[in-house]
Amino acid sequence: QVQLVESGGGLVQAGDSLQLSCTASGRDFFRFAMAWFRQAPGKEREFVAAISSSGTLTKVRNSVEGRFTISRDNAKKMVYLQMNSLKPEDTAVYYCAGRSRGYYTLNARDYDDWGPGTQVTVSS
């Protein structure tokens, strides 16, 4: 099990960049695949990006490909989501999630540990 806390959200204008951070605690963080999900008001939680436990494999959703990048630093127990060229439709609460497997999935139900979320608001 890992405990997760997100940071870095805020209010930005369209076209701006933000970097979200997820701070993890727990002895076995390096074994966990990690992901970012987001949930906009009135919508279901959706997959954004994921990274394998080693960091060698990543996946982002089609609508953010080329704009968002996921990375991790196992020594620091951190996961990052670099978000560039933000759009109003990226507005949501962003959640960091972990699963005690080395490989990731795109399904929120497969993730065991979640942070409380951080709000990202993009104005037009």
Side-chain angles (χ1 to χ4, degrees), residues 2 4 6 37 45 95-98 108-109 111-116:
V2 291
L4 305 171
E6 304 91 342
F37 289 81
R45 191 169 297 192
Y95 298 91
C96 178
R109 296 191 182 118
Y111 288 81
D112 308 303
D113 303 304
W114 292 82

Side-chain angles (χ1 to χ4, degrees), residues 70-97:
I70 187 171
S71 61
R72 67 190 294 162
D73 185 331
N74 283 348
K76 296 182 178 179
K77 297 184 181 179
M78 298 288 293
V79 182
Y80 306 99
L81 184 67
Q82 178 65 41
M83 305 187 294
N84 299 328
S85 303
L86 282 160
K87 303 177 180 180
E89 51 263 43
D90 295 319
T91 294
V93 177
Y94 283 71
Y95 298 91
C96 178

